[in-house]
Amino acid sequence: GQQLNQSPQSMFIQEGEDVSMNCTSSSIFNTWLWYKQEPGEGPVLLIALYKAGELTSNGRLTAQFGITRKDSFLNISASIPSDVGIYFCAGLSSRAGGTSYGKLTFGQGTILTVHP
Amino acid sequence: GAVVSQHPSWVICKSGTSVKIECRSLDFQATTMFWYRQFPKQSLMLMATSNEGSKATYEQGVEKDKFLINHASLTLSTLTVTSAHPEDSSFYICSASDRAPYEQYFGPGTRLTVT
C-alpha cells in the first residue's frame, strides 16, 4: 500500500530557529496536506497544496508540493514555544474509482520541541 | 468554519461493555466522515470511511462487527465499540469532509480506556 516517509522523527531547537521537515512517497498524490497535533487533541490543518510545484505560506509556515508529486516539505521560520507539537504530512488520494479515493495517508510525524 | 466536535472527550468503561462515540460537523455538511485510531506517539490509522446514508467501508484488519459505524445524517456519525477489551484502549479521532476528495477536518478526539 501507499506509504509516506516523514523526516526527521523529532527535532529539538532553540526559540527563533528555523525548522524544516519533509515527506516522500513511493506513489503520487494529487494533494498534500500538513497538520499539527497537540497532546490530547486532533490534528489541525495548517496548509493544503493542490498543484505540483505549488509553494504556499501561512504566516511563518511555508510548504511546497514537489514537482514529481511524490514529496513535500514544510518550513517554520523563527520558531516560538507554541510551535511545539507533532507535525504530520498527509497525502490525499483523489483518483476517482480507486479504493483509496478521498483517503488520507499520513506520515509518521515529526515531534517538535522548542526551547525558550 | 469547518469545526468538528466529538463526544465524549474521554471515557472509561469496563471490559465487555459497549461505548458510543459521536462525531459532529458543526458548521458544514459532511458527505464523508472518517474514523481513525491513534496509539501513543504513533501516526493516525484509518479504521473506516462512512458516507451519509450508506454502509461504512472498513479498512483491512478492522472488525466491522466490533466497531459499528453509523452515519445517519450529514452532520453526525457515531462509532460504537462493542464488547470492549483493554486492547481497545486508544485515542479515537474522527474527521469530516464536505467535498470529497478534498481536505479533511478533524475532531478533538476521544480517549477510551477499558479497564
Side-chain angles (χ1 to χ4, degrees), chain A residues 35 37 42 50 92 102-103 106-107, chain B residues 34 38 43 59 101 103-104 107:
Chain A
Y35 289 90
Q37 185 180 28
Y50 302 106
L92 179 62
K103 296 180 183 178
F106 280 88
Chain B
F34 303 85
Q38 186 179 33
S43 190
E59 294 300 297
E103 59 266 26
Q104 298 173 24

Side-chain angles (χ1 to χ4, degrees), chain B:
Chain B
V3 179
V4 177
S5 70
Q6 277 184 246
H7 178 80
S9 56
W10 60 269
V11 57
I12 301 173
C13 71
K14 292 187 176 181
S15 187
T17 61
S18 295
V19 174
K20 179 183 286 188
I21 302 170
E22 291 185 349
C23 177
R24 293 181 185 272
S25 56
L26 299 184
D27 52 0
F28 65 101
Q29 292 188 324
T31 55
T32 307
M33 286 186 169
F34 303 85
W35 287 94
Y36 295 84
R37 184 173 181 176
Q38 186 179 33
F39 291 106
K41 297 187 178 180
Q42 293 189 20
S43 190
L44 286 76
M45 183 188 76
L46 179 64
M47 298 174 67
T49 303
S50 73
N51 292 293
E52 185 264 338
S54 60
K55 289 184 178 180
T57 303
Y58 291 81
E59 294 300 297
Q60 192 172 8
V62 178
E63 299 175 60
K64 62 180 181 181
D65 294 330
K66 180 169 186 61
F67 299 100
L68 301 178
I69 293 172
N70 183 277
H71 192 163
S73 76
L74 284 172
T75 59
L76 174 64
S77 176
T78 60
L79 167 69
T80 301
V81 182
T82 63
S83 186
H85 291 282
E87 57 264 32
D88 298 324
S89 299
S90 188
F91 193 51
Y92 292 88
I93 310 173
C94 72
S95 72
S97 178
D98 61 349
R99 42 176 194 143
Y102 298 110
E103 59 266 26
Q104 298 173 24
Y105 298 93
F106 286 82
T110 297
R111 173 73 58 192
L112 170 63
T113 302
V114 184
T115 61

